[in-house]
Amino acid sequence: DAVVRDINRDLLSDVELGAFVSGVYAHGLSRAEIMSLTDSMVEIGETMQWDREPIVDKHSIGGVAGNRVTPIVVSIVAAAGVTIPKSSSRAVTSAAGTADTMEVFCDVSFSVSEVREIVTETNGCVVWGGAVNLSPVDDKIIRAETPLSLDPPGQVIASVLSKKKSAGATHVVIDLPYGEGAKVESLHDAREMAEDFTRVGTNLGMEIDCAITRGEQPIGRGIGPVLEARDVLDALDGDGPADLRSKSVRLAQILLDAAGAEETAAELLGTGAAEAKFREIVDAQNGDPDVSSEDLTPGPYEETIHTDREGVVTHVDNKLVNELARRAGAPKDHGAGVYLHCRARDELTDGDPLLTLYAEKRDKLEQARTFWTANSPIRVHDSEAVLIEQW
């Protein structure tokens, strides 16, 4: 309580707040500490009350490049008539947060009363949590985490659930990706985190469903605000990356089942109802409801990188791909980022494209190219060597 009150009143210096974040990262939080921290964060700031139930919500712990499922999930769920007031974060360690990507389409900064109007009109929204003033201490902690590129697991749970409780959620689905390069690398750790989410959420009076998903490589093709926004539109239009569509359907279906909805997520996406709802939400958030993928133009400076060997893609590293897009200027430069031409297990021939770099400034493109040369986020191995290793 004392720490949260001091953070809220700006009584801690940047160094002190950074020390708090670093301490949580280094030593972790017990489940009792997570519950206490979450309760304290909920009590400070505005809360939203609704005259209906259920109120559903969704969150991913992050760590997977791309993975822009939220606008699709919100559109599917809202199209079914279920209320989903989604507040989202900006990027902390990634090339884009949901709010950064949604900002490509429309405004994301709204007051609580404005959010209520949007949700009353459309059943859903995708807004920036930092502007809504729900759990404001969380936003101040996130600002301390960003330059440190730290996102401690205990703080993640308190951050997510304090926001959801403040937004009035009764049912929440948590996306927990695991795998090499993700925030959670092992299935065992993902299950432990799921148990913490469930127990802390139950303590707050919410029903929590944790979806443990594969996160060993990016979801979707675009990494960076504009490129991810194009993936979202393409997926809603009935095309787009298959992994992005299937994951969105899975998460949306969990929420629809919790709400007792009759229509399925696949039907709502396949019939175009979800796309229509997305455009309705964009319109309500002061955007262009007729926007198309062609209207979303990435940065003018680009370079496609090709493989110099024949073989199999064995790994696409989330952390390195995110950092590659950040070197190109994302998320501050909305048009900067990376477009992936290949996935893990793809067979390539010499000269096939691996990815395309986009930047809004020439020097940023050069920085990204230098980072690629030094780190090689995509690994391509000889086909025969891969077969021997698998055997």
Side-chain angles (χ1 to χ4, degrees):
D1 283 343
V3 170
V4 168
R5 283 197 303 270
D6 285 352
I7 294 173
N8 186 57
R9 295 166 60 192
D10 295 322
L11 296 181
L12 299 184
S13 68
D14 290 345
V15 172
E16 289 169 328
L17 190 50
F20 171 72
V21 170
S22 300
V24 172
Y25 179 80
H27 302 289
L29 295 174
S30 69
R31 188 172 291 157
E33 288 173 326
I34 296 171
M35 287 182 179
S36 296
L37 179 60
T38 309
D39 284 335
S40 298
M41 290 168 67
V42 170
E43 289 174 10
I44 291 181
E46 296 188 63
T47 59
M48 300 186 73
Q49 305 296 327
W50 304 90
D51 58 1
R52 68 189 94 164
E53 281 195 7
I55 304 297
V56 305
D57 212 330
K58 170 266 168 193
H59 187 85
S60 174
I61 64 165
V64 176
N67 198 33
R68 200 52 58 219
V69 299
T70 293
I72 304 170
V73 170
V74 169
S75 302
I76 293 171
V77 172
V82 179
T83 304
I84 179 166
K86 180 73 178 79
S87 65
S88 300
S89 61
R90 295 190 182 278
V92 177
T93 59
S94 67
T98 296
D100 300 309
T101 299
M102 195 66 185
E103 197 170 47
V104 172
F105 296 109
C106 56
D107 293 343
V108 295
S109 297
F110 296 96
S111 66
V112 168
S113 60
E114 290 170 329
V115 169
R116 190 179 297 280
E117 290 177 8
I118 294 168
V119 174
T120 299
E121 179 185 343
T122 68
N123 293 328
C125 67
V126 183
V127 300
W128 176 44
V132 183
N133 200 37
L134 300 174
S135 186
V137 169
D138 176 48
D139 299 314
K140 294 180 180 183
I141 292 174
I142 287 174
R143 283 199 291 272
E145 291 174 337
T146 301
L148 298 172
S149 291
L150 296 179
D151 211 2
Q155 180 60 47
V156 167
I157 296 169
S159 170
V160 171
L161 295 184
S162 65
K163 277 287 201 306
K164 302 313 174 190
K165 183 64 177 179
S166 297
T170 59
H171 296 72
V172 182
V173 62
I174 304 294
D175 173 29
L176 285 169
Y178 78 95
E180 183 184 352
K183 283 184 180 178
V184 179
E185 296 214 342
S186 73
L187 180 58
H188 174 268
D189 289 345
R191 286 173 172 163
E192 281 198 346
M193 198 171 194
E195 187 174 346
D196 286 339
F197 263 114
T198 301
R199 293 204 178 185
V200 176
T202 300
N203 180 63
L204 292 169
M206 294 184 292
E207 182 178 315
I208 307 294
D209 283 298
C210 290
I212 297 177
T213 58
R214 299 298 296 269
E216 71 277 4
Q217 67 173 328
I219 299 291
R221 298 282 183 170
I223 316 296
V226 165
L227 295 168
E228 292 175 23
R230 292 173 73 172
D231 275 356
V232 167
L233 268 190
D234 289 343
L236 287 166
D237 285 341
D239 194 8
D243 56 347
L244 182 65
R245 285 173 58 88
S246 62
K247 184 170 182 177
S248 300
V249 166
R250 177 187 174 188
L251 296 175
Q253 190 60 54
I254 293 173
L255 291 176
L256 293 181
D257 289 343
E262 295 182 0
E263 295 171 281
T264 70
E267 290 170 347
L268 291 163
L269 185 60
T271 61
E275 181 196 354
K277 178 58 67 175
F278 176 76
R279 295 182 181 280
E280 185 182 342
I281 292 171
V282 167
D283 189 28
Q285 292 185 204
N286 306 321
D288 178 7
D290 299 319
V291 65
S292 67
S293 293
E294 290 70 27
D295 298 326
L296 306 178
T297 307
Y301 300 100
E302 64 177 273
E303 180 179 349
T304 299
I305 296 173
H306 301 80
T307 181
D308 58 359
R309 71 183 69 180
E310 180 177 328
V312 175
V313 178
T314 57
H315 185 56
V316 183
D317 191 288
N318 281 304
K319 290 180 181 178
L320 293 179
V321 166
N322 265 323
E323 183 59 27
L324 182 63
R326 290 172 72 93
R327 295 297 177 97
K332 183 178 180 181
D333 297 338
H334 282 179
V338 173
Y339 184 85
L340 300 171
H341 296 287
C342 64
R343 311 276 301 162
R345 294 177 291 280
D346 282 359
E347 294 186 4
L348 303 179
T349 58
D350 187 4
D352 281 348
L354 295 173
L355 56 80
T356 299
L357 298 169
Y358 290 96
E360 294 184 2
K361 303 176 183 69
R362 187 181 298 279
D363 64 318
K364 292 289 187 180
L365 181 66
E366 293 173 358
Q367 288 179 34
R369 185 68 174 81
T370 299
F371 182 83
W372 162 267
T373 302
N375 294 276
S376 298
I378 298 177
R379 297 201 297 255
V380 180
H381 287 174
D382 179 77
S383 302
E384 185 176 343
V386 171
L387 287 173
I388 292 173
E389 182 180 330
Q390 289 175 342
W391 181 83

